[in-house]
């Protein structure tokens, strides 16, 4: 039924009536949001062809069928979709091309990467394109190919900062440090000095509260650009850069000061210990300093040696709250006077010991409860490692004693766990086999032929018998398939085959592999826990859900892609 509706949408998005196009695109978005939706590959191919065709003149920003169709098909990670996107790429709308590029990057195919390199460079020259530098970052060879053909975009205001982002990703990957230094360095220094002048307009009046409650985006743009330049200076370092770093150590913005400090440490340049302590205790940067030092195997330099966990918890809560969206009346969330009030320990879903901190903070003259955790105590009593579950429900701190707040926390966690354990996140059953569909098609053709040629008494009985027997076999297969399922329920992978059921905790899985016939699930002992026919699932969707539900694990299972 839904395939018939999707085909109708393909007709409606080309209607001359804008209202019909609007309604059709709305229906398409609704279908896109349906989990587990399966669409025949022929229909997906038709959607790609339609997206590459001409549409009536646009009447508003929403009126872009090419983009919405490509966005829909890109949810189906199939080779035929990639082939169709490549074949019709040049005829897509620019936004549809951007969405197709995101999809094609994920194929990690060398031939497709060659195609992408050519097309991305062409699109950069059009001046309407948004460079997908974040998606390109994990693929330095592709990134370098794009940069080789477009490095002159450093002189373009439209693409300057996207190009700098690509340069940082390429250098940070280690693929080619100091890439094109003779070209990049003088432009980098010139742009840094210009941006520094913009920053210095804020420096004298800098305060954390001003940044998040008053200056906001007007300042964040300057800060982010300055941080980008300072990060690049690690790979484009000269005596001139050293002079700029020494000045940056005096900036009042703790992020810029921290970036300069870390580079001084890495380059073995002089710095004052008081600056390290200042950055390590500032509410904005305490966590940043710790993790940057740890990533560089310099954790011993962090000046907070005891009580590191509750110290970092304050920054974690601050960061969590300032990222909350503004209220409808424009009021910004800004926490002040953050304090650790208590702590509690428990076991998470996997039986691992974790710790949460009960915090208090003030906002708009009221004091509220906040929670920071869950710190992974397996890594040590004072570890900074946590599975981030920090939040506030804006419960007033004085509304109950501390013990009552803790009881409410445990009760809420128990309810969440129960809901999570009973929630079905993925469910798939096998469809009718090709043999069953072949019989249905054969039966339809047979009846049409008999109707056209006229029934005889014998042919009618044979036709009825043929249809009843075949129909009964199809119904039996359909009935049987309804009782065959693969599910993800909570953190359990479940296989159901009639009355038989097998399950395994996702954290107990070592690897998931597949061949032409089956999907095989192995436990931590490398033993086959169970297997099921691959036709029971749409594997690319199953793969996506398995990755999503195992991504937070410390020891993640291997899921064959």
């Amino acid at each position: 039924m839904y395939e018939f509706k999707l085909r109708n949408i393909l007709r409606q998005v080309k209607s001359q009536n804008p209202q019909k196009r609007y309604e059709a695109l709305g229906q398409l978005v609704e279908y896109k949001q349906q989990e587990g939706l399966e669409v025949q590959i022929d229909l997906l191919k038709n959607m790609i062809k339609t997206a590459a065709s001409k549409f009536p003149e646009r009447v508003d920003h929403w009126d872009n069928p090419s983009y919405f169709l490509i966005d829909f098909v890109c949810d189906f990670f199939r080779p035929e979709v990639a082939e169709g996107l490549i074949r019709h790429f040049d005829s897509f709308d620019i936004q549809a091309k951007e969405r197709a590029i995101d999809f094609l990057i994920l194929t990690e195919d060398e031939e497709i990467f060659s195609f992408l390199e050519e097309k991305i460079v062409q699109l950069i020259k059009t001046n309407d394109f948004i460079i997908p530098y974040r998606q390109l970052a994990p693929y330095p060879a592709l990134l370098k190919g794009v940069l080789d053909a477009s490095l002159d975009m450093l002189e373009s205001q439209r693409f300057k900062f996207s190009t700098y982002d690509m340069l940082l990703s390429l250098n940070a990957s280690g693929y080619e440090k100091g890439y094109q230094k003779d070209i990049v360095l003088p432009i980098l220094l010139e742009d840094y000095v210009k941006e520094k002048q913009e920053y210095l307009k804020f420096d004298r009046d800098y305060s954390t509260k001003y940044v998040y409650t008053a200056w906001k985006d007007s300042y964040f743009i300057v800060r982010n650009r300055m941080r980008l330049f300072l990060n690049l200076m690690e790979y484009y370092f000269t005596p001139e850069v050293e002079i700029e770093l020494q000045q940056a150590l005096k900036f009042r913005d703790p992020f810029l000061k921290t970036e300069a400090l870390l580079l001084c440490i890495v380059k073995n340049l002089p710095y004052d210990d008081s600056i390290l302590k200042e950055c390590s205790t500032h509410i904005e940067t305490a966590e940043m300093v710790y993790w940057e030092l740890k990533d560089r195997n310099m954790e011993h330099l962090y000046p907070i040696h005891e009580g590191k966990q509750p110290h970092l918890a304050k920054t974690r809560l601050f960061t969590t709250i300032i990222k909350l969206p503004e209220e409808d009346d424009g009021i910004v969330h800004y926490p002040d006077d953050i304090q650790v009030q208590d702590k509690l320990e428990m076991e998470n879903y996997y039986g691992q010991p974790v710790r949460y901190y009960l915090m208090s903070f003030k906002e708009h003259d009221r004091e509220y409860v906040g929670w920071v955790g869950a710190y992974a105590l397996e890594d040590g009593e004072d570890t900074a490692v946590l599975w981030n579950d920090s939040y506030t429900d804006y419960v007033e701190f004085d509304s109950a004693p501390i013990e009552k707040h803790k009881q409410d926390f445990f009760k809420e966690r128990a309810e969440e766990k129960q809901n999570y354990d009973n929630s079905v996140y993925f469910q798939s059953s096998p469809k009718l086999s090709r043999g069953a569909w072949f019989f249905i098609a054969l039966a339809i053709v047979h009846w049409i032929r008999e109707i056209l040629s006229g029934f005889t008494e014998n042919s009618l009985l044979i036709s009825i018998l043929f249809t009843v027997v075949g129909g009964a076999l199809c119904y039996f297969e359909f009935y049987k398939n309804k009782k065959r399922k693969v599910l993800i329920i909570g953190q359990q992978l479940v296989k159901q085959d009639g009355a038989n059921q097998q399950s395994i905790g996702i954290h107990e899985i070592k690897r998931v592999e597949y061949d032409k016939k089956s999907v095989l699930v192995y436990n931590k002992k490398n033993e086959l826990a169970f297997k099921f026919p691959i036709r029971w699932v749409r594997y690319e969707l199953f793969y996506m859900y398995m990755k999503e539900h195992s991504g937070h694990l410390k020891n993640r299972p291997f899921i064959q892609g």
Side-chain angles (χ1 to χ4, degrees):
M1 179 63 73
Y2 65 83
E3 292 217 358
F4 172 78
K5 292 182 178 179
L6 286 171
R7 293 185 188 278
N8 186 53
I9 287 172
L10 288 183
R11 290 189 291 271
Q12 295 300 315
V13 295
K14 295 183 74 67
S15 169
Q16 293 295 327
N17 185 335
Q19 182 63 30
K20 288 186 177 180
R21 296 200 301 273
Y22 180 82
E23 291 171 358
L25 293 176
Q27 292 172 6
L28 186 64
V29 171
E30 289 179 10
Y31 277 115
K32 177 180 169 63
Q33 293 170 346
Q34 289 186 20
E35 292 189 3
L37 183 69
E38 295 192 17
V39 180
Q40 294 293 324
I41 192 62
D42 287 343
L43 179 52
L44 294 175
K45 289 179 178 179
N46 285 339
M47 286 184 160
I48 294 171
K49 289 178 183 177
T50 303
S53 63
K54 292 183 178 180
F55 294 94
E57 186 176 348
R58 292 171 65 170
V59 297
D60 205 342
H61 67 277
W62 58 263
D63 194 6
N64 191 349
S66 181
Y67 166 75
F68 284 104
L69 289 168
I70 294 304
D71 186 45
F72 182 89
V73 302
C74 283
D75 284 348
F76 300 85
F77 201 74
R78 300 183 189 178
E80 297 90 343
V81 171
E83 291 167 7
L85 293 176
I86 291 170
R87 184 177 302 114
H88 297 283
F89 185 88
D90 290 337
S91 300
F92 297 150
D93 173 83
I94 183 67
Q95 287 180 283
K97 289 178 179 178
E98 290 170 353
R99 181 66 181 93
I101 287 172
D102 291 347
F103 176 93
L104 293 171
I105 287 173
L106 295 176
T107 64
E108 299 184 344
D109 182 278
E110 288 187 13
E111 291 186 10
I112 292 178
F113 275 11
S114 296
F115 169 84
L116 286 174
E117 181 182 319
E118 176 189 345
K119 294 303 177 184
I120 290 172
V121 171
Q122 288 176 3
L123 289 167
I124 289 174
K125 305 298 182 182
T126 67
N127 215 40
D128 294 323
F129 179 58
I130 298 175
I131 300 175
Y133 59 87
R134 289 190 179 88
Q135 291 88 333
L136 291 171
Y139 310 103
L142 175 57
L143 201 56
K144 182 179 181 299
V146 173
L147 282 168
D148 285 345
S150 62
L151 191 58
D152 59 334
M153 289 296 107
L154 278 178
E155 303 285 3
S156 160
Q157 289 304 311
R158 174 77 172 83
F159 292 111
K160 179 183 291 291
F161 290 97
S162 296
T163 306
Y164 276 130
D165 278 311
M166 290 193 290
L167 282 168
L168 181 58
S169 295
L170 179 64
N171 280 280
S173 72
Y175 189 82
E176 187 172 335
K177 293 185 178 181
Y179 170 82
Q180 297 286 2
K181 186 173 183 177
D182 291 343
I183 297 174
V184 174
L185 180 60
I187 303 173
L188 172 63
L189 282 171
E190 181 183 349
D191 287 338
Y192 175 79
V193 170
K194 287 180 182 177
E195 202 64 40
K196 182 176 68 174
Q197 298 310 311
E198 293 299 312
Y199 165 72
L200 290 174
K201 296 175 183 177
F202 294 93
D203 187 72
R204 178 178 295 181
D205 298 322
Y206 185 93
S207 81
T208 301
K209 189 167 186 176
Y210 281 174
V211 169
Y212 295 99
T213 62
W215 295 347
K216 295 185 281 188
D217 288 346
S218 62
Y219 180 73
F220 292 144
I221 292 171
V222 176
R223 170 191 270 178
N224 291 338
R225 289 177 175 177
M226 288 287 285
R227 291 185 69 183
L228 176 59
F229 291 139
L230 287 166
N231 279 305
L232 279 163
M233 287 176 182
E234 179 176 346
Y235 309 102
Y236 299 95
F237 186 78
T238 64
E240 288 180 88
V241 169
E242 182 176 352
I243 293 171
E244 295 294 348
L245 290 177
Q246 292 301 323
Q247 182 182 0
L249 289 174
K250 299 174 184 176
F251 291 162
R252 298 188 65 181
D253 184 310
F255 280 105
L256 303 186
K257 186 178 294 188
T258 297
E259 299 287 9
L261 171 67
L262 292 168
L263 188 46
C264 286
I265 292 173
V266 169
K267 297 296 183 181
N268 202 25
L269 301 176
Y271 64 89
D272 196 312
D273 286 342
S274 64
I275 297 176
L276 176 58
K277 186 170 184 180
E278 178 188 346
C279 295
S280 300
T281 55
H282 198 285
I283 194 67
E284 292 186 75
T285 54
E287 265 197 319
M288 175 188 171
V289 177
Y290 174 78
W291 284 112
E292 289 289 341
L293 289 174
K294 186 174 177 62
D295 288 346
R296 290 172 166 83
N297 295 317
M298 296 179 177
E299 184 183 0
H300 60 282
L301 295 178
Y302 196 69
I304 311 299
H305 301 295
E306 294 183 5
K308 178 172 72 261
Q309 196 177 88
H311 169 69
L312 295 178
K314 294 182 180 181
T315 293
R316 176 63 60 161
L317 183 61
F318 176 83
T319 304
T320 299
I321 293 173
I322 61 170
K323 288 182 178 179
L324 294 174
E326 292 183 10
E327 299 293 340
D328 292 338
D329 54 7
I331 294 177
V332 178
H333 293 289
Y334 181 81
D336 205 359
D337 192 21
I338 298 174
Q339 301 293 331
V340 176
Q341 296 292 346
D342 206 340
K343 62 184 178 182
L344 53 85
E345 293 169 6
M346 58 188 294
E347 289 187 347
N348 64 11
Y349 187 93
Y350 312 103
Q352 298 165 305
V354 295
R355 177 180 293 147
Y356 283 85
Y357 285 94
L358 168 59
M359 316 285 288
S360 65
F361 67 95
K362 292 181 179 177
E363 190 174 301
H364 306 301
D365 298 323
R366 292 188 177 184
E367 192 170 23
Y368 298 101
V369 172
W371 294 97
V372 176
Y375 287 97
L377 298 183
E378 284 184 336
D379 282 2
E381 180 66 20
D382 200 28
T383 181
V385 176
L386 83 164
W387 292 285
N388 190 27
D389 187 27
S390 307
Y391 68 97
T392 178
D393 288 331
Y394 280 92
V395 175
E396 293 200 20
F397 184 75
D398 291 335
S399 64
I402 285 178
E403 288 304 315
K404 179 65 166 59
H405 287 308
K406 291 164 70 174
Q407 290 171 14
D408 291 343
F409 177 86
F410 280 119
K411 181 180 178 181
E412 184 179 319
R413 277 293 177 275
E415 291 173 353
E416 287 179 358
K417 184 177 184 303
Q418 184 177 9
N419 289 336
Y420 183 79
D421 287 344
N422 295 324
S423 295
V424 178
Y425 295 96
F426 173 83
Q427 178 173 320
S428 180
S429 296
K431 307 303 178 186
L432 283 176
S433 65
R434 290 182 180 179
W437 282 112
F438 177 75
F439 167 77
I440 292 171
L442 194 63
I444 292 171
V445 171
H446 175 78
W447 277 98
I448 291 173
R449 188 172 63 242
E450 290 295 319
I451 291 171
L452 293 175
S453 62
F455 289 106
T456 64
E457 186 176 341
N458 287 336
S459 68
L460 180 60
L461 289 173
I462 292 172
S463 297
I464 292 173
L465 181 62
F466 171 70
T467 303
V468 169
V469 173
L473 291 172
C474 288
Y475 177 78
F476 176 73
E477 182 181 335
F478 175 77
Y479 177 76
K480 208 172 177 184
N481 285 348
K482 284 185 68 176
K483 295 189 174 184
R484 292 170 169 167
K485 296 178 182 178
V486 176
L487 310 100
I488 296 176
I489 305 176
Q491 275 289 313
Q492 295 285 316
L493 176 62
V494 180
K495 170 196 171 184
Q496 288 182 358
D497 190 356
N500 298 320
Q501 178 172 305
Q502 294 172 280
S503 65
I504 184 172
I506 291 177
H507 62 289
E508 297 172 336
I509 297 173
K510 183 172 183 177
R511 69 183 200 275
V512 176
E513 299 176 345
Y514 70 92
D515 54 32
K516 291 183 178 179
K517 293 184 178 180
S518 303
V519 176
L520 302 98
V521 182
Y522 294 88
N523 62 25
K524 292 293 185 184
K525 296 179 181 179
N526 219 22
E527 299 169 338
L528 182 65
F530 56 81
K531 66 178 181 178
F532 54 86
I534 195 167
R535 70 183 188 88
W536 285 22
V537 296
R538 203 178 96 204
Y539 188 80
E540 68 273 12
L541 192 64
F542 172 73
Y543 169 84
M544 182 185 74
Y545 275 89
M546 285 296 294
K547 294 290 283 187
E548 180 180 322
H549 282 261
S550 61
H552 63 288
L553 297 175
K554 187 175 181 179
N555 297 312
R556 299 171 190 166
F558 167 77
I559 314 293
Q560 183 179 347

